[in-house]
Amino acid sequence: MEEKILENYIKAGRISGQIKAEVLQTIKPGMKILELAEFIEKRTLDLGGKPAFPVNIGINDITAHYTPKADDATVIKAGDLIKIDHGVHVDGWVADMAYTYCTDKNEMIKAVEHALNEGIKAIRPGVKISEVSRAINDAVTSAGFGVVVNLTGHGLGQYVIHGPPTIPNVKNESADVLKEGDVIALEPFVCEKNGYVKESEPYEIYSFMQPKPVRLPEARVILDTAGNEYMGMPFCKRWLVKKGISPFKISFALRQLETNEALKSYPVLKERSGMKVAQAEHTIVVAEKPSVITRAPE
Ligand code: CO
């Protein structure tokens, strides 16, 4: 990997590690998740990064793709499992990390963090992806829990938040191997027993797919912003409201752009039987001594 690219990854990772430390000092019951999201995204910019996607804040069975609405009134309650999935990029090079907060000691959080560490320990150039998956899954099952079967770890790249390879959290026969210099995110999700996510409301997050002719002026602005400012990476209605477009016009334009296949949406993913979910994630550069770029500096 070029020196400059690695520097950008490391900078992005440091920013997310530092913000995690700040979040854990400030998060508490009674806080609005909107306030938390705005804090995380503002600090990302303050520290010289950009959000790689709207920060995801998933409570309990809400597992992924929930970012607060512009007027979101949701408040953190004692006992909630609060998953924070935060992506930072520097010149497009993405550090993706997630962690789970709860006021109470929670065994699932302990299990998911342990499973992530076991997965990281299995990483080396030439290792089969199936071996990394097995390390994660064995750690989860020996703690007496299950994983969300249909969510996986993934590769990262410049302006790419979900690239190859796919790294399942369940045992598999994949013969694919990790190579020196690959940048990957390991991302286990733990619940009481094996679970599955399904698509659900609301739709807050979108990303650019392809240019299309559009007549509605707001749709043209949104499509242009999606391609040129967000560079094809996910964005949300809340960010467009801040640009001064009315929420009603945003919803109307986004529906039209999605129908035209100019944009795609990321519906919220919930555990289908309502089980609570804990998550942990780090971004790692594959090497003889793997570098976990999103780990907070000691
Ligand atoms: Co990820």
Side-chain angles (χ1 to χ4, degrees):
M1 191 190 307
E2 276 174 50
E3 196 65 26
K4 185 66 197 158
I5 295 174
L6 185 61
E7 273 172 29
N8 288 334
Y9 269 123
I10 288 171
K11 183 173 177 196
R14 280 219 184 100
I15 292 169
S16 43
Q18 175 168 344
I19 295 172
K20 175 183 175 182
E22 294 174 7
V23 164
L24 294 177
Q25 300 235 318
T26 45
I27 190 168
K28 57 176 185 293
M31 190 177 191
K32 280 188 182 176
I33 60 169
L34 174 60
E35 190 190 328
L36 184 60
E38 296 279 311
F39 172 78
I40 291 169
E41 290 169 1
K42 180 182 179 297
R43 290 296 293 146
T44 303
L45 296 170
D46 287 348
L47 294 170
K50 284 186 177 166
F53 49 85
V55 62
N56 287 201
I57 303 180
I59 302 182
N60 298 330
D61 59 323
I62 298 176
T63 308
H65 302 169
Y66 189 97
T67 199
K69 299 171 193 171
D71 59 353
D72 208 304
T74 311
V75 162
I76 294 170
K77 297 194 301 293
D80 279 344
L81 284 189
I82 309 287
K83 293 168 288 299
I84 296 167
D85 192 334
H86 180 206
V88 175
H89 80 84
V90 173
D91 195 26
W93 303 100
V94 180
D96 189 3
M97 67 124 62
Y99 46 98
T100 305
Y101 161 84
C102 185
T103 48
D104 310 332
K105 267 219 165 8
N106 183 290
E107 290 301 317
M108 290 202 303
I109 298 177
K110 226 168 91 184
V112 80
E113 285 173 355
H114 177 63
L116 173 60
N117 280 330
E118 292 301 301
I120 292 169
K121 279 197 244 163
I123 290 175
R124 59 177 191 279
V127 72
K128 282 187 192 154
I129 285 175
S130 59
E131 287 179 54
V132 178
S133 299
R134 188 183 334 118
I136 292 171
N137 197 266
D138 281 347
V140 174
T141 50
S142 60
F145 295 113
V147 297
V148 173
V149 173
N150 56 341
L151 288 176
T152 67
H154 52 89
L156 293 156
Q158 192 177 29
Y159 298 109
V160 174
I161 56 162
H162 275 171
T166 291
I167 305 163
N169 295 310
V170 291
K171 289 180 188 170
N172 61 80
E173 299 299 315
S174 170
D176 292 347
V177 295
L178 296 177
K179 309 181 303 295
E180 174 107 34
D182 281 351
V183 181
I184 55 164
L186 296 188
E187 186 169 15
F189 293 82
V190 162
C191 33
E192 212 175 283
K193 56 186 169 89
N194 276 358
Y196 294 84
V197 286
K198 61 164 200 238
E199 293 189 350
S200 172
E201 301 272 314
Y203 290 64
E204 288 292 320
I205 304 178
Y206 292 80
S207 72
F208 180 84
M209 279 181 79
Q210 56 188 325
K212 287 272 179 163
V214 277
R215 280 213 298 274
L216 197 69
E218 289 79 15
R220 213 174 303 139
V221 170
I222 292 171
L223 192 57
D224 193 54
T225 306
N228 298 322
E229 183 180 335
Y230 303 136
M231 301 291 283
M233 301 173 107
F235 62 93
C236 60
K237 290 181 185 169
R238 178 166 50 84
W239 291 359
L240 299 174
V241 170
K242 271 198 215 152
K243 290 190 177 290
I245 315 174
S246 90
F248 174 78
K249 284 183 174 158
I250 291 169
S251 294
F252 187 74
L254 288 174
R255 255 196 313 274
Q256 202 173 73
L257 289 164
E258 194 184 3
T259 308
N260 292 349
E261 297 181 334
L263 296 182
K264 70 170 174 185
S265 65
Y266 297 77
V268 162
L269 299 176
K270 282 189 188 171
E271 204 293 314
R272 69 180 183 192
S273 60
M275 284 191 289
K276 290 188 176 189
V277 177
Q279 175 195 15
E281 177 180 28
H282 272 307
T283 296
I284 304 119
V285 180
V286 177
E288 275 315 323
K289 197 174 175 305
S291 154
V292 183
I293 62 167
T294 41
R295 203 166 258 164
E298 303 289 309

